[in-house]
Amino acid sequence: MPASPTGHALPELVMAWGRGRAHSRVTAPPEQIEGGFRVAVGPPSAEVRKVFHTYTPESLAAAAARLDEPGHQVMIAGPGDLLASIVPSSWTMDDAGHLMTAVFAPASYAVAADYRLVIETDGPLTVARVFHRNGDLAGSARMGRDGDFGVFDKVVTAPAHQRRGIGSLMMRALTASGHAQGMRFGLLVGSDAGRALYEHLGWSFVSDFPGARSKGA
């Protein structure tokens, strides 16, 4: 059964997210492993992450045991309680993550008078930046392309410019840009706070996406 409104199963979405995120972070492409992929987290971190879409509690526990040294992370498409229960007690759980998706359609947006929007595309990477009239970078967001998917990443609004619709503006602008470039679907992993914004913009929750890192990572 499809895992999301896009019609794709969960493993397909996870792999597409990994490839698109690598384009966003300008890192080496993910290396496929059994049940998922292995990838560099990306600057400034030198850590390595294994991401699993297909697993059993036993296989996850074995993977965490093999990686129980500084510099390693594990993420899963599944319950955070499960991941917390199988990683060694010395590991640190990351903040909650949520895998979300959307079907792209032409998107309209308006830029407030005090702001200027710049969108630049270089190969598979599109970056949106919003500048205030005083020159401040008010916000930025990235979208890495993997075929039909645009993977949204690093959606950040500067503290002084929050609650002014900057995040929504960048999401709508990247959606419009992705649709114009021929992408059909959006993917992202959002925080608890971000999930509410993305659902308001029409995105759908697919799976919890928790992560954990080994001691000293």
Side-chain angles (χ1 to χ4, degrees):
M1 179 179 294
S4 81
T6 70
H8 296 82
L10 182 59
E12 295 177 274
L13 296 177
V14 171
M15 296 303 294
W17 174 79
R19 292 188 294 264
R21 184 185 181 281
H23 286 309
S24 169
R25 301 293 174 104
V26 195
T27 62
E31 172 190 351
Q32 189 164 349
I33 60 174
E34 184 175 357
F37 63 85
R38 176 183 184 274
V39 71
V41 174
S45 172
E47 299 164 28
V48 174
R49 175 184 291 153
K50 287 192 175 180
V51 180
F52 295 98
H53 52 67
T54 302
Y55 53 81
T56 65
E58 293 76 18
S59 69
L60 281 180
R66 290 193 301 270
L67 299 171
D68 191 18
E69 59 184 39
H72 291 281
Q73 299 183 22
V74 170
M75 290 183 73
I76 66 169
D81 289 347
L82 171 61
L83 183 60
S85 72
I86 61 91
V87 297
S89 59
S90 60
W91 284 42
T92 301
M93 291 292 293
D94 294 332
D95 293 338
H98 310 284
L99 182 66
M100 305 185 74
T101 190
V103 178
F104 279 170
S108 60
Y109 55 88
V111 183
D114 288 342
Y115 293 94
R116 175 171 59 93
L117 171 67
V118 177
I119 299 177
E120 298 175 309
T121 297
D122 183 5
L125 173 62
T126 299
V127 180
R129 296 182 179 90
V130 178
F131 296 91
H132 190 260
R133 65 180 179 182
N134 65 9
D136 286 351
L137 177 62
S140 64
R142 303 167 74 87
M143 180 176 66
R145 182 172 189 171
D146 178 61
D148 285 342
F149 288 95
V151 177
F152 289 60
D153 185 35
K154 287 184 171 291
V155 181
V156 178
T157 302
H161 299 275
Q162 291 176 355
R163 300 187 182 277
R164 301 184 187 181
I166 301 297
S168 296
L169 167 63
M170 294 187 297
M171 293 294 294
R172 290 190 171 102
L174 285 179
T175 295
S177 178
H179 185 269
Q181 293 179 57
M183 300 175 219
R184 298 178 59 202
F185 311 110
L187 273 172
L188 60 80
V189 173
S191 64
D192 281 341
R195 177 177 173 177
L197 167 65
Y198 304 137
E199 288 180 333
H200 176 71
L201 294 174
W203 289 65
S204 299
F205 169 82
V206 176
S207 173
D208 287 321
F209 214 56
R213 62 192 65 215
S214 57
K215 184 178 180 180

